[in-house]
Amino acid sequence: MTSTGMQIFGFVLALLGIMGAMVATVLPNWKVSADVGSNIITAISQMQGLWMDCTWYSTGMFSCTLKYSVLSLPAYLQTARTTMVLCCVLAAMGLCLASLGLKCTKWGGGRRSKQHAAIASGSCFVAAGFLCLVPASWFTNEVITNFLDSSVPESNKFEPGGAVYVAFVSAGFLLMGGCIFCMSCSASTSTAPSPR
């Protein structure tokens, strides 16, 4: 019964992780400028995401432009796009496998097949967590490096936005959910009586 509760807890953590990863993927605030313009015509805030750049003006208006050209983007942005999409796909596949591997469900076959599905889903969650952690770390490193570079003008300096923090938290949820899911299966196999 304890391993069933642990599986459900791991499933909830992984579900929160995949929802956070999907939100972080589409949010336009991976980088946020902190400068405030003194003129009413100048922009108050600029945000840059994986798919679009947005600008908020002092008049209350905002405009967003999509990043159409993939080849013109820097390497860290191309990598962040790819790994975040792969993270979401892998975590979704892990959720499908986890629903088959949960001990409290009726579908998914016998005990052994449920254990295999649960371990496979836990592995998917852990891999998705690492895929979410890589772009968040690399993106943060690039933003901080550019911020500390003295040759970059003050108006072009950015700081990490909310989407980066959502990606870090989502990666933690996915990693914890995957580890808990795998450990609940290994604990149940070690305590289960050997078949005769």
Side-chain angles (χ1 to χ4, degrees), residues 20-33:
M22 286 193 288
V23 166
T25 302
V26 298
L27 278 178
N29 61 341
W30 281 68
K31 286 197 305 189
V32 179
S33 66

Side-chain angles (χ1 to χ4, degrees), residues 128-140:
F130 279 118
L131 283 174
C132 189
L133 193 61
V134 166
S137 302
W138 193 359
F139 209 95
T140 304

Side-chain angles (χ1 to χ4, degrees):
M1 185 65 183
T2 306
S3 62
T4 304
M6 289 296 287
Q7 275 189 336
I8 293 172
F9 180 60
F11 186 83
V12 169
L13 283 176
L15 188 63
L16 290 173
I18 187 175
M19 288 192 300
M22 286 193 288
V23 166
T25 302
V26 298
L27 278 178
N29 61 341
W30 281 68
K31 286 197 305 189
V32 179
S33 66
D35 60 330
V36 177
S38 59
N39 191 353
I40 196 165
I41 304 300
T42 60
I44 288 181
S45 177
Q46 292 179 341
M47 297 183 295
Q48 295 182 5
L50 301 181
W51 310 99
M52 67 177 67
D53 296 339
C54 295
T55 305
W56 291 83
Y57 297 97
S58 58
T59 57
M61 302 292 290
F62 70 94
S63 64
C64 293
T65 56
L66 291 174
K67 298 177 181 178
Y68 291 109
S69 176
V70 177
L71 297 177
S72 66
L73 298 175
Y76 73 94
L77 194 55
Q78 292 178 18
T79 305
R81 277 184 171 189
T82 306
T83 52
M84 287 304 290
V85 170
L86 285 175
C87 165
C88 294
V89 169
L90 198 58
M93 189 170 62
L95 283 177
C96 294
L97 287 170
S99 63
L100 295 175
L102 282 172
K103 295 178 182 177
C104 59
T105 58
K106 297 288 185 192
W107 60 83
R111 187 188 69 173
R112 182 175 288 276
S113 61
K114 279 187 171 291
Q115 287 176 352
H116 289 307
I119 290 173
S121 68
S123 301
C124 285
F125 292 147
V126 169
F130 279 118
L131 283 174
C132 189
L133 193 61
V134 166
S137 302
W138 193 359
F139 209 95
T140 304
N141 182 42
E142 287 291 327
V143 171
I144 292 173
T145 303
N146 286 340
F147 187 83
L148 297 176
D149 189 2
S150 59
S151 63
V152 176
E154 291 290 328
S155 59
N156 290 342
K157 291 193 175 187
F158 290 88
E159 56 188 20
V164 174
Y165 301 115
V166 172
F168 275 121
V169 171
S170 302
F173 280 154
L174 285 168
L175 288 170
M176 285 190 298
C179 290
I180 288 172
F181 223 84
C182 289
M183 281 194 249
S184 68
C185 293
S186 63
S188 65
T189 55
S190 62
T191 59
S194 58
R196 294 181 180 176

